[in-house]
Amino acid sequence: MSIVVTGATGHLGRNVVEQLLEKVPAEQITAVVRDEQKAADFAARGVKLAVADYNAPETFGSLFGAGDKVLLISGNEFDKGRVQQHKVVIDAAGAAGVALLAYTSAPGALKAALADDHRATEEVLLASGLPYTLLRNGWYFENYTENLAPVLEHGAVVQAAGDGRISAASRADYAAAAVAVLTGAGHENKIYELGGDEPFGFAEYAAELSRQTGREIAYTPVTPEALTGILTGAGLPAPLAEILAGVDASIEKGELVVTTGDLARLTGRPPQRLTEAVAAAVKG
């Protein structure tokens, strides 16, 4: 039996494999990658590597074994039909008779276009008859804290979220939830709504940045159309810019506030807080 992690060299995937290595022997972990070189550090520590691509179904043909636990990390190629990509993995897992397939989805309350592929993938997974766990990950602190340069340069947090609040958590938190499911028992056919315990708004985020950097940073709310223009001007493809602006519109409606406490229960610890996320980013 292996614990198989797809997208293992991505930001979330790396976090998951690193945390798995703290819980189980390396030889029980299989990292699914497109480029072996990017996972050379994992291989050196005894993790098994499997080279496969969501866009090449044949590469998943014999990848899984009966009894495996699989984490399907959602793809990020928005222009290549993510639902079909995910179906490739689900079909292969079903044919092999895996014991569990966990999928990193989006919050159930999220109505933005970003959620469409996730909802459709959930339908495919439920229809497959596989034992499943839906890890409905909320937004990530890193979506903001990893791109501080323009915020600090202009002294402004620019979002199209109005006074909306958001229950963000760190990649490490969401990875810990996945590891708890992959290494624990009793998670079959469960849905977990995951997010931070302390929702915040962007005015609070700007204030925390100001406090920790000693600079004056203000929150500048704009319309979704204006944000789309700003993002495309910064070099983002228009479809992705529109998706991100749509998420902000959902934040304004409260669709990314999570109140279940599932993340803390799964990980056994409080999720990262805003002050901690900003401190890590400013220090790093």
Side-chain angles (χ1 to χ4, degrees):
M1 188 277 284
S2 264
I3 295 174
V4 185
V5 180
T6 74
T9 54
H11 290 305
L12 180 62
R14 278 200 162 274
N15 262 285
V16 171
V17 174
E18 288 288 354
Q19 293 188 45
L20 280 171
L21 283 165
E22 298 172 7
K23 300 259 187 177
V24 299
E27 60 269 19
Q28 290 182 17
I29 305 167
T30 299
V32 182
V33 300
R34 286 192 290 194
D35 182 349
E36 277 187 292
Q37 292 305 310
K38 290 184 179 177
D41 57 323
F42 288 152
R45 293 159 73 182
V47 173
K48 293 184 225 165
L49 302 185
V51 179
D53 189 320
Y54 293 154
N55 301 303
E58 66 279 3
T59 61
F60 281 93
S62 58
L63 197 155
F64 303 117
D68 285 353
K69 289 185 175 180
V70 179
L71 176 65
L72 168 55
I73 294 180
S74 56
N76 59 6
E77 296 175 312
F78 294 94
D79 58 339
K80 291 191 176 175
R82 291 199 299 167
V83 180
Q84 184 54 43
Q85 289 180 330
H86 299 157
K87 187 174 185 299
V88 165
V89 180
I90 293 166
D91 287 349
V98 305
L100 180 74
L101 192 146
Y103 172 65
T104 61
S105 193
L110 184 64
K111 302 296 188 289
L114 178 70
D116 292 348
D117 287 350
H118 291 300
R119 295 289 91 81
T121 298
E122 289 183 3
E123 290 176 9
V124 172
L125 179 52
L126 268 60
S128 73
L130 280 169
Y132 66 87
T133 306
L134 299 182
L135 296 163
R136 288 179 170 169
N137 290 352
W139 219 226
Y140 295 68
F141 274 125
E142 288 88 349
N143 290 340
Y144 307 112
T145 58
E146 282 187 350
N147 194 31
L148 283 183
V151 173
L152 299 177
E153 180 185 346
H154 299 291
V157 171
V158 180
Q159 301 288 154
D163 295 326
R165 301 175 75 73
I166 181 171
S167 301
S170 69
R171 283 196 197 105
D173 288 324
Y174 293 118
V179 168
V181 165
L182 294 168
T183 59
H187 299 291
E188 293 83 1
N189 306 329
K190 297 282 180 67
I191 299 174
Y192 297 114
E193 298 283 349
L194 305 175
D197 287 342
E198 299 178 8
F200 63 91
F202 287 103
E204 290 168 73
Y205 175 52
E208 189 60 35
L209 282 172
S210 299
R211 187 180 72 81
Q212 294 201 32
T213 62
R215 305 188 192 192
E216 191 167 328
I217 298 168
Y219 170 42
T220 304
V222 297
T223 65
E225 294 75 19
L227 182 62
T228 300
I230 291 167
L231 294 173
T232 53
L236 257 65
L240 179 56
E242 289 169 6
I243 284 172
L244 293 176
V247 170
D248 269 18
S250 285
I251 291 172
E252 183 169 23
K253 296 172 188 169
E255 294 174 9
L256 276 174
V257 171
V258 178
T259 59
T260 60
D262 284 350
L263 185 54
R265 272 194 297 276
L266 276 177
T267 62
R269 65 172 194 241
Q272 188 179 55
R273 298 167 62 240
L274 176 62
T275 53
E276 297 162 342
V278 171
V282 170
K283 190 191 305 177

